[in-house]
Amino acid sequence: MSFSPKVVVITGASAGVGRATAQAFARNGASIGLLARGREGLEGVRREVESQGGKALILPTDVADADQVEAAAAAVEKTFGPIDVWVNDAMTSVFSPVKTMTPEEFRRVTEVTYLGCVNGTLAALKRMLSRNRGVIIQVGSALAYRAIPLQSSYCAAKHAIRGFTDSLRCELLYEKSQVRVTMVQMPALNTPQFDWVKSRLPRKAQPVPPVYQPEVAARAILWAVKHPHRELKVGLPTILIVAINKIAPGLLDHYLARTGYQSQQREEPEDPNRPHNLWNPVAGDFGAHGSFDKIAHRGSIALWVTTHPRRRLALAVGLMLALWVLIFL
């Protein structure tokens, strides 16, 4: 597909997947509106975008506030012109058993992770529908299908995004709109969130292995922008989790009850007094990567197969021929 976005908005752009995605669009020469709360992280990603050939406008924004999101969208269009792509990536979370969560914490995670996505989508639709073009990317997770212990607020928000996106997709089809919406379901990723989200765990939080670098997620997002796709499941773990949950959700309940607590914690004890970003951004520039470079995969064979359908067919034919030779010759 020849579609090459010129103007892009990314929420949660100061770190992790949002930052890696900004770098990917910058290498394609895009002008990018960068939305996040922390100014130091925004300044860091702005420098990276401009050094890699893109243009950047930093917009300190709390996506939980619809008025702030709308103002940011207007500023992007005033500076760069019509928005081609909107990527909803902003999130926050709390690592905690449900019984020790507070109503205020559930509300805040929902406002940022779910309603932040809704606010971004509404701002994008306000501009894209009248032009009958544009792409909205919802950054999801395998946890949008299969919730896990200790992340109830985040899992619930990702489930909500999937429901919201399915409804919107149906409405766009009914209206025969050329605006596209794709949800990209991510595997565990090496992002800084595990060092800055609020946690009540006795040990430091970690993503459930296997872990992928945020550049894998960025490549998936860029591909989804350029290729019409209802939903893109990134990495073999995501594909397997979604499939197994459809077949045997009860089995996964018991498996996660046995393994979900240990698999989300490192050996190092957590500092209960460390800064967290639930209510305010943590000071500093954290970059795209978290603390797990040594174990994070830089690529995904499953993503490569998914995004290369012609080669996927050739591979399937080759495997069938090889199997036929082994059986009959």
Side-chain angles (χ1 to χ4, degrees):
M1 185 177 177
S2 60
F3 175 63
S4 182
K6 295 181 179 179
V7 180
V8 180
V9 174
I10 302 172
T11 72
S14 62
V17 171
R19 188 153 179 167
T21 302
Q23 295 167 2
F25 277 113
R27 290 190 290 271
N28 282 259
S31 298
I32 311 171
L34 303 165
L35 278 61
R37 291 178 299 166
R39 180 171 287 277
E40 290 172 280
L42 286 173
E43 290 288 358
V45 68
R46 177 188 61 79
R47 290 190 293 269
E48 292 168 353
V49 165
E50 292 175 350
S51 71
Q52 296 184 59
K55 296 179 181 179
L57 176 66
I58 62 170
L59 296 156
T61 305
D62 184 345
V63 296
D65 186 325
D67 290 338
Q68 290 187 36
V69 175
E70 171 59 28
V76 170
E77 294 218 328
K78 182 178 180 180
T79 303
F80 294 139
I83 296 168
D84 298 305
V85 175
W86 189 291
V87 180
N88 283 309
D89 175 59
M91 57 75 63
T92 192
S93 184
V94 178
F95 284 94
S96 171
V98 171
K99 64 184 180 182
T100 53
M101 290 283 291
T102 68
E104 292 76 19
E105 289 168 344
F106 275 114
R107 183 179 299 111
R108 179 59 178 168
V109 173
T110 302
E111 288 172 346
V112 174
T113 307
Y114 170 55
L115 292 179
C117 175
V118 172
N119 293 336
T121 301
L122 292 176
L125 289 173
K126 180 178 179 180
R127 292 153 176 85
M128 293 177 177
L129 287 175
S130 61
R131 302 167 189 147
N132 200 29
R133 63 180 177 85
V135 179
I136 300 170
I137 300 293
Q138 319 287 41
V139 176
S141 168
L143 305 187
Y145 283 89
R146 173 66 247 185
I148 61 176
L150 305 177
Q151 293 200 60
S152 56
S153 57
Y154 178 78
C155 292
K158 289 298 184 181
H159 273 70
I161 292 171
R162 185 162 67 91
F164 166 74
T165 301
D166 286 349
S167 291
L168 172 60
R169 188 183 294 110
C170 294
E171 294 174 10
L172 293 173
L173 289 169
Y174 173 79
E175 296 172 0
K176 296 181 172 56
S177 174
Q178 295 302 305
V179 176
R180 289 197 287 112
V181 58
T182 296
M183 193 164 182
V184 182
Q185 311 292 14
M186 300 297 182
L189 296 164
N190 175 30
T191 68
Q193 66 158 308
F194 300 94
D195 293 317
W196 69 22
V197 299
K198 186 172 183 178
S199 177
R200 292 192 178 89
L201 305 184
R203 291 179 281 133
K204 291 183 178 180
Q206 69 172 12
V208 180
V211 181
Y212 295 83
Q213 294 289 24
E215 286 78 14
V216 175
R219 289 198 295 272
I221 291 169
L222 198 62
W223 186 88
V225 165
K226 296 184 177 183
H227 300 81
H229 222 66
R230 182 184 185 277
E231 184 174 271
L232 181 62
K233 297 177 180 67
V234 181
L236 185 60
T238 303
I239 296 169
L240 291 176
I241 288 169
V242 173
I244 295 171
N245 193 61
K246 289 181 179 180
I247 299 168
L251 180 64
L252 276 181
D253 290 343
H254 288 279
Y255 174 77
L256 289 166
R258 291 196 308 271
T259 67
Y261 280 65
Q262 295 302 318
S263 64
Q264 294 186 77
Q265 297 183 74
R266 289 172 266 179
E267 293 300 322
E268 303 95 314
E270 179 61 281
D271 175 5
N273 298 313
R274 69 162 172 80
H276 62 77
N277 74 342
L278 186 61
W279 311 109
N280 298 292
V282 177
D285 180 9
F286 290 84
H289 289 204
S291 304
F292 309 97
D293 279 333
K294 291 183 179 179
I295 64 170
H297 301 285
R298 296 181 180 180
S300 165
I301 294 174
L303 177 62
W304 183 91
V305 170
T306 300
T307 57
H308 293 80
R310 293 182 181 177
R311 295 179 183 179
R312 181 171 71 227
L313 177 61
L315 180 62
V317 171
L319 289 174
M320 286 189 292
L321 287 174
L323 182 62
W324 186 87
V325 169
L326 289 173
I327 294 174
F328 296 105
L329 294 181

